[in-house]
């Protein structure tokens, strides 16, 4: 069983994906972490996240340790990730890792939940369930601000909102694998839903499609 969860920044994809994975006995892959890890490697080497050669080399050399580095969660890393995400060869390197994970999930898992921007459209177009999780920009910025503050990072609300809008615009406008709901995706708007309500709603939607 493969569940694809796509959507814009801070819409609640990660929390929902982890809960769906636990519920259905699947393993979860946060594909944004791959782009963030490549971005962090580029930034640490003082490279330019807009330069294809630098970013392709960093994607090919990506190691596990960078994926576990808390610094991948910073807003600076996120912005750099969305600047290198349009590079087709970077996406191609990360695509094979993601497809492998989906088709041969680690351990005893009987499937996988992948969250990102292009899972339902490009990475797993045959996924059993496709969710597109969204929320108003203001609700998403408020959640991201809370997340940052909980991690002890001081951030200014208007800057978080502005950075998020710019990143979403880049993710939507790119030529390769733009952020767009798959034709057969179920759209879940979490603006007025907390994590529990979003999970319940997703389970209801999945049950109504008769796929689980
Ligand atoms: O945590 P948040 O939802 O804000 O972002 P993320 O999922 O960690 O993704 C960071 C960036 O990586 C996105 O803004 C995209 O530019 C890129 N990304 C992508 O292009 N394709 C994916 N499947 C996942 C992330």
């Amino acid at each position: 069983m493969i569940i694809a969860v796509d959507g814009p920044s801070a819409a609640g994809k990660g929390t929902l994906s982890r809960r769906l994975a636990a519920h259905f006995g699947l393993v979860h892959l946060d594909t944004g972490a791959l782009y963030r890890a490549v971005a962090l490697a580029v930034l640490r080497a003082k490279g330019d996240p807009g330069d294809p050669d630098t970013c392709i080399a960093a994607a090919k050399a990506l190691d596990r340790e960078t994926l576990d580095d808390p610094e991948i969660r910073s807003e600076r890393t996120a912005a750099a990730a969305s600047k290198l995400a349009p590079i087709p060869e970077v996406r191609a390197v990360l695509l094979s890792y993601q497809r492998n994970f989906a088709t041969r999930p680690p351990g005893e898992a009987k499937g996988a939940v992948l969250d990102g921007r292009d899972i339902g459209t490009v990475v797993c177009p045959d996924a059993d369930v496709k969710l597109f999780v969204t929320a108003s920009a203001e609700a998403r910025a408020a959640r991201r601000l809370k997340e940052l503050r909980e991690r002890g990072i001081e951030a200014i609300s208007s800057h978080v909102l502005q950075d998020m809008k710019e990143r979403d615009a880049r993710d939507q406008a790119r030529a390769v694998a733009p952020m767009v709901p798959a034709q057969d995706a179920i759209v879940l708007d979490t603006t007025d839903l907390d994590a529990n309500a979003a999970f319940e709603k997703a389970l209801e939607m999945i049950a109504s499609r008769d796929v689980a």
Side-chain angles (χ1 to χ4, degrees):
M1 182 183 187
I2 296 179
I3 302 183
V5 182
D6 291 301
S9 155
K13 303 183 299 289
T15 307
L16 179 62
S17 299
R18 279 188 292 276
R19 293 187 67 167
L20 289 173
H23 181 84
F24 290 110
L26 311 172
V27 278
H28 169 230
L29 178 66
D30 165 9
T31 68
L34 303 173
Y35 291 88
R36 286 170 177 263
V38 176
L40 182 60
V42 169
L43 292 176
R44 287 220 167 121
K46 308 246 176 295
D48 173 5
D51 177 59
D53 289 344
T54 307
C55 298
I56 296 163
K60 286 185 178 160
L62 185 63
D63 61 28
R64 258 238 69 88
E65 265 171 47
T66 318
L67 283 172
D68 296 331
D69 191 319
E71 188 55 30
I72 68 168
R73 293 291 143 209
S74 79
E75 291 302 273
R76 178 171 167 258
T77 310
S82 77
K83 286 180 188 155
L84 59 79
I87 303 169
E89 296 88 339
V90 168
R91 303 200 72 83
V93 173
L94 300 182
L95 181 64
S96 57
Y97 179 88
Q98 296 169 78
R99 285 228 176 110
N100 253 326
F101 187 99
T103 51
R104 282 182 288 280
E108 300 290 296
K110 55 181 178 158
V113 183
L114 281 78
D115 81 85
R117 302 290 184 289
D118 61 340
I119 309 303
T121 50
V122 175
V123 179
C124 302
D126 298 326
D128 302 277
V129 180
K130 297 180 186 178
L131 296 173
F132 192 86
V133 184
T134 185
S136 73
E138 288 70 22
R140 294 188 289 113
R143 285 176 200 163
R144 182 52 43 96
L145 194 67
K146 185 164 170 271
E147 231 177 86
L148 291 170
R149 290 197 172 143
E150 278 167 4
R151 292 208 314 271
I153 302 167
E154 264 321 305
I156 298 165
S157 170
S158 58
H159 292 183
V160 171
L161 178 63
Q162 183 59 28
D163 288 355
M164 222 181 59
K165 283 183 173 167
E166 285 173 13
R167 186 145 64 90
D168 288 345
R170 276 197 292 275
D171 289 346
Q172 269 166 338
R174 67 177 175 235
V176 182
M179 172 178 69
V180 59
Q183 259 183 357
D184 49 350
I186 311 172
V187 177
L188 174 58
D189 189 324
T190 67
T191 305
D192 298 315
L193 304 178
D194 65 12
N196 282 334
F199 175 61
E200 293 303 328
K201 185 87 193 159
L203 285 185
E204 246 174 59
M205 288 170 143
I206 293 171
S208 74
R209 288 270 173 121
D210 207 20
V211 282

